[in-house]
Amino acid sequence: MIVVAGEALIDLVVSAEGQRAVPGGSPANVAVTLARLDEPVRLLARIGTDEYGRQLAEYLSANRVDLAWAVRADEPTSVAVATLNAAGQASYEFRLAGTADWQWTPQELPELAGSPATALHTGSLALALAPGAQVLEGLLAREHRRDGLTVSIDLNLRPSIVTDRAAEQARVRRQVGLAHLVKASDEDLAWLYPDRTVSDVLAGWREAGVSCAVVTRGGEGAWLLAPDGALLEQPVVRTTVVDTVGAGDSFTGGLLAALADLDALGDRPADRLAAVTAQQWAEVLRQAATVAALTCGRRGADPPRRAEVEALLHPTTTS
């Protein structure tokens, strides 16, 4: 079972067709992607009891995301206004003051030792916004010390919300040191380290103890720094783009699902990741890119199911 920790919010998607309220939030999107790829997943989230919160809970449950560790919070649900341009690319405005997602207390966190969890994934605003970010960072530190499961983070930075670059550099430096697997976009790194190349950043993460790092590059595909130091490249999987909402989260879910299928998540995480072969890493990247492409081909954060992914990865040949 993969545990995903972080925000579950409402995306108000604004386009030429009007406005609609849909469930979102990077960690919640990752959890739904995993569930649709038939990976057991439990979401550790604070979900409001307002109408938006009820909509979120119903959506997550309908997608087979386990909410046993979710906290039903008194605070209102966070809202992200996603405005789509003519190319389907989203820009975001967030309404987060006093909302449920960022109010974690240590007492609300479960004990993962002894549970069936093989990995803990988190990231995005959940690791950036106080006071909850410090609580979740403490959870990462505890699990990293225990070495009993794979710790994964996705930077998914929001410079429009957290604007202090130096503070974000310090935060990311701390949190990367608590992870075995780190994912970021090229846009994340360009803002966070404007004077450094991607290669330099990945080398620094490797020195910090990260086993595997992935950088998504939009229409240019993705890079992966494997545990043996090899840099692998995955070209983008071509699709007709409807919009890019949730594409990065779907990539992350596809990546984690592929690693789970290889039994590469769990105790002794560095050893498990080091045992993945170069060919297997290529297949992991291809699956992640395919999941993201299928998501881009439909409206909103609507990740594909396993059968759809398999149909593209392993099409039936006819004579």
Side-chain angles (χ1 to χ4, degrees):
M1 178 182 75
I2 297 174
V3 177
V4 180
E7 65 264 26
L9 50 78
I10 287 292
D11 284 333
L12 285 180
V13 182
V14 180
S15 67
E17 300 173 358
Q19 176 177 291
R20 55 197 172 89
V22 296
S26 176
N29 290 341
V30 172
V32 170
T33 303
L34 286 164
R36 290 189 179 182
L37 296 176
D38 297 333
E39 297 296 339
V41 57
R42 184 171 291 179
L43 182 63
L44 183 56
R46 300 184 90 255
I47 299 176
T49 53
D50 55 9
E51 186 56 40
Y52 279 158
R54 286 189 287 273
Q55 180 181 348
L56 281 167
E58 290 173 3
Y59 169 76
L60 292 164
S61 296
N63 277 282
R64 298 185 297 120
V65 174
D66 186 337
L67 297 179
W69 287 345
V71 175
R72 297 315 302 266
D74 293 332
E75 299 87 0
T77 300
S78 307
V79 175
V81 181
T83 302
L84 304 180
N85 64 17
Q89 295 176 315
S91 59
Y92 292 88
E93 173 194 348
F94 293 86
R95 302 170 185 172
L96 310 177
T99 53
D101 295 283
W102 334 112
Q103 314 305 323
W104 286 106
T105 65
Q107 294 74 26
E108 292 174 329
L109 298 181
E111 177 55 63
L112 299 186
S115 78
T118 57
L120 169 64
H121 172 79
T122 186
S124 194
L125 288 169
L127 283 183
L129 295 183
Q134 289 86 340
V135 176
L136 291 181
E137 186 174 320
L139 177 64
L140 293 183
R142 184 179 77 195
E143 295 307 321
H144 191 265
R145 286 193 303 269
R146 190 167 65 87
D147 210 36
L149 49 73
T150 305
V151 176
S152 164
I153 64 174
D154 179 3
L155 298 193
N156 202 11
L157 303 179
R158 300 295 185 187
S160 63
I161 300 172
V162 186
T163 58
D164 187 333
R165 183 182 281 112
E168 282 292 86
Q169 289 173 345
R171 174 183 72 84
V172 169
R173 187 181 309 114
R174 288 195 317 273
Q175 294 173 354
V176 161
L178 303 175
H180 308 100
L181 173 63
V182 178
K183 181 223 166 201
S185 70
D186 54 357
E187 291 181 347
D188 289 334
L189 299 186
W191 180 82
L192 191 62
Y193 305 114
D195 301 323
R196 298 176 62 184
T197 66
V198 171
S199 297
D200 287 342
V201 174
L202 295 183
W205 288 355
R206 185 173 173 80
E207 291 175 6
V210 173
S211 294
C212 173
V214 182
V215 177
T216 54
R217 305 166 58 223
E220 300 301 315
W223 286 325
L224 181 144
L225 182 65
D228 65 358
L231 186 64
L232 308 179
E233 184 172 0
Q234 168 64 45
V236 71
V237 174
R238 296 296 173 187
T239 188
T240 300
V241 176
V242 174
D243 67 49
T244 62
V245 177
D249 305 326
S250 295
F251 185 101
T252 302
L255 185 82
L256 291 170
L259 289 171
D261 290 344
L262 293 173
D263 198 27
L265 305 177
D267 61 344
R268 299 174 293 104
D271 292 341
R272 287 179 182 267
L273 291 170
V276 178
T277 67
Q279 178 59 38
Q280 288 172 326
W281 279 120
E283 293 168 358
V284 166
L285 272 178
R286 185 166 173 245
Q287 171 167 312
T290 299
V291 174
L294 286 167
T295 302
C296 288
R298 58 186 80 182
R299 190 172 70 165
D302 184 14
R305 286 164 173 78
R306 180 175 286 267
E308 298 173 84
V309 179
E310 291 293 330
L312 280 185
L313 291 175
H314 310 291
T316 303
T317 57
T318 57
S319 56

